[in-house]
Amino acid sequence: MEVVIFQADSKIPYFKPKLHIKKDIFPRDTIITGVVPGDYDGDSQMDVLLTTQIQNSKQTTIFIFWGNNQTLDMSGRIMLNKTFRDQPLVMDFNGDMIPDIFGFTNTVTEVCYVTNRIPVWRNALSLAVNMRIPHSNAFIDLNKDLTADLFLTTEGPAFETWINKDGNFTKVDDVLPAEPPNKTVGQSSFADFDGDGYQDHLLPVCSDLACQHSAIYMAKSGSKEWVPVLSDFKSKDTVWSFVPQKAGQPMALHFGDYNLDGFPDALVVLRNTTGSGQQAFLLENVPCNSPGCQSVGRMFEVQWDQSDLGAIKNAVMATFFDIYEDGILDMLVLSQAEGKSDLVIHALKNNFESDAYFVKVMVLSGLCSNDCPEDVKPYGVNQPGPYVSYTTTDSNGNLKNASAGQLSQSAHFSLQLPYTVLGLGRSANFLDHLFVGIPRKPGETAARMKEWMAIIPNSQLIVIPFPQDQPSSWSAKLYLTPSNSVLLTAIALIGVCVFILVIIGILHWKEKKADDREKRQEAHRFHFDAM
C-alpha cells in the first residue's frame, strides 16, 4: 500500500501525480488508514500525516512527512513514540495556529505537539474520557462565539461537549444532547442545517442491529431534543438503508451545498435491503413537509432519480469537491467492483442550472506575512478550527444566516474540504456581514474574530489572520468567479453594441449616398448656369 499525492491543474487532466510515498519506507505489513495534510511544525509548508496499523495491531501509529518546497522530505520523516487506540483528531488544541494531534493513548486522553519536529505529549482534558471506536470527534464552534469547541463521542454510545472558555476546554451539559436517539449510531457530523447561524449535530442511526430501518436525526444547539429530518428511505417498492458500519466504510454523511441555496445538502451511501448492491444518493435539504420536523423547518429529501449517481454500482463512499475551482461543488464517488479488491474513483460534474450565488472562504494559518523562513510563500496553509458565518438580506428582504467550520473532523474518512462554500441563494446582493474566527490561546478572554462587510457574491476570500492576536490587522484577498449572468450580460452588451454599429453604418451609408447625389446635382446646376 502506498500514497499518491495528485497536484491540481487548471488544464486537463485536472489532477496530475506529484508525489509517491512508497510502502518500502514503512515497516512490514503496514496498512495506511488515513491521510491528514497540515503544517505540523509551523514552517508554513504543507506536511502530511499518515495514520497506520502495523502487523494487524489495533493500535494506530502516526507517521509525519515534512513539507519542503512543494515536495516531501522522505528521509526526515518521524514516527510518533506513542500509539493511539484509534485514529486521532487533528486540531489546534493550544490556539497557536499549528495543528496538534489529539487522541486516546493506552491509558489517557493526550495531545501531541510537534512544533519543533520533536513529539511533546501533554494530558489533554481535566476529566477521564472513554472514547468510542470508531470515534467522530470534532473541533467546531458549538455556541456561536466564533471559537472552536471540542465534541467527543464516547462509549455508551454517548456524547460530550467541551466548550472553549478563555482558551481552555470545559465540559458542559447544556449545549447538545448527551445521549443518542438510538443505540446503533453512525458518525456524528456538524452543519448549519436550518440556516440559523448555529452548528447542528446530525446523526445517522439504525433502529435495529441488522440496519434494516434507518433515520437521520438532528439536535440543535441548546436543545435536548432529537428531531428526525429523514426517516423515509423507501423508493417505490424498494427499501434502502444505511450500510452497517464496518472498517473502512463508516456510516457517515458528507455535507455540501450543491445547489447553493444556503442550506447544506448531503451525500450518503445506502444499500438495498430487499436485494443486493449499494449506491450513493444525494440528500437535498428542503423545507419540512412532515409533522416530525416542524420544529426545525427543514428536512432531507432523497433524490432517487439521480441517474449519474445511480449508474455507479457498488458505491463505497461519496463526497463533494470543487473540481473546477468555480465555487460549485461537484461529486466524487468511490466504488468497488464485485469480486475485486481495487477501488475506482468517479467524478461527477455539477450541472445545476440555477444561477445561484456563493462565497468561498479559506482561512490560512497566518504564521508569517513577508519574512517567512526558508523563503517559502507567505501566509501559511489551510488550518483546522477556523469558523465562518455570514448575515445578509435576501432578495425578499428577509434576514439570511449561514455558518460552517473549516476542517472540523479528520478521522475515519471525514473527507472535509480545506475551505468552506456558503450558498447565498439567488440573491445577487452584497454580503452584508462576514465573520471569521480562529481558536485562541489558553488565558485569552477576547475572541479572535474579524468582520468584513459588503463582500461581492461569487467571490473567493482567502483570510490571512496575521498577527493572530490582532484581528484588526488581519487581511483578506478577494478573487472573483463570474456567474452565468455576467456572461449573458456581456453577450447582451456586445449584441447591443453590434446592433448600434449596424444602424450607424446604415445611416452613414445613406448619408454618404445623399451627399453624392447632392454633389452631382450641384455639378449639374453649375454646368447649366455656365451655359
Side-chain angles (χ1 to χ4, degrees), residues 294-509:
Q294 292 296 327
S295 60
V296 297
R298 307 291 300 185
M299 60 177 281
F300 275 135
E301 185 176 81
V302 185
Q303 301 299 302
W304 301 110
D305 55 352
Q306 289 280 344
S307 57
D308 290 337
L309 282 174
I312 302 173
K313 304 301 181 184
N314 295 317
V316 176
M317 219 168 291
T319 190
F320 292 99
F321 190 78
D322 185 5
I323 297 174
Y324 298 95
E325 286 292 328
D326 56 1
I328 299 173
L329 294 178
D330 309 295
M331 301 177 190
L332 295 177
V333 181
L334 191 68
S335 70
Q336 185 174 24
E338 195 168 344
K340 295 185 178 180
S341 59
D342 293 338
L343 297 167
V344 180
I345 299 176
H346 309 262
L348 302 179
K349 187 179 187 302
N350 187 345
N351 290 320
F352 188 72
E353 294 296 334
S354 175
D355 195 24
Y357 297 85
F358 67 90
V359 61
K360 183 176 178 179
V361 183
M362 177 188 288
V363 184
L364 304 181
S365 53
L367 295 173
C368 62
S369 180
N370 295 314
D371 53 345
C372 298
E374 300 180 17
D375 296 326
V376 300
K377 291 183 178 180
Y379 313 131
V381 301
N382 45 277
Q383 178 76 9
Y387 193 75
V388 180
S389 69
Y390 75 72
T391 302
T392 192
T393 305
D394 64 16
S395 54
N396 297 320
N398 300 318
L399 192 66
K400 187 177 181 66
N401 298 283
S403 63
Q406 181 174 289
L407 294 174
S408 61
Q409 294 173 302
S410 61
H412 298 291
F413 300 102
S414 55
L415 302 180
Q416 294 190 350
L417 299 174
Y419 45 77
T420 58
V421 177
L422 299 174
L424 306 177
R426 303 195 68 176
S427 173
N429 298 336
F430 279 77
L431 201 61
D432 295 338
H433 307 277
L434 179 74
F435 303 92
V436 174
I438 63 173
R440 48 185 157 171
K441 291 186 176 181
E444 283 193 22
T445 56
R448 293 179 172 182
M449 57 84 64
K450 184 172 181 177
E451 175 187 0
W452 279 269
M453 302 178 68
I455 300 297
I456 303 172
N458 280 13
S459 61
Q460 177 172 339
L461 196 71
I462 298 179
V463 178
I464 305 157
F466 178 86
Q468 300 165 17
D469 56 352
Q470 299 177 28
S472 59
S473 300
W474 294 358
S475 60
K477 296 184 179 294
L478 190 72
Y479 300 88
L480 292 179
T481 303
S483 68
N484 292 336
S485 61
V486 175
L487 179 61
L488 294 175
T489 303
I491 293 173
L493 181 61
I494 293 171
V496 169
C497 291
V498 170
F499 180 69
I500 293 173
L501 286 173
V502 170
I503 293 176
I504 292 173
I506 293 173
L507 293 175
H508 181 72
W509 176 71

Side-chain angles (χ1 to χ4, degrees), residues 257-268:
D257 189 359
Y258 96 100
N259 55 4
L260 301 179
D261 63 350
F263 298 98
D265 311 294
L267 283 171
V268 66

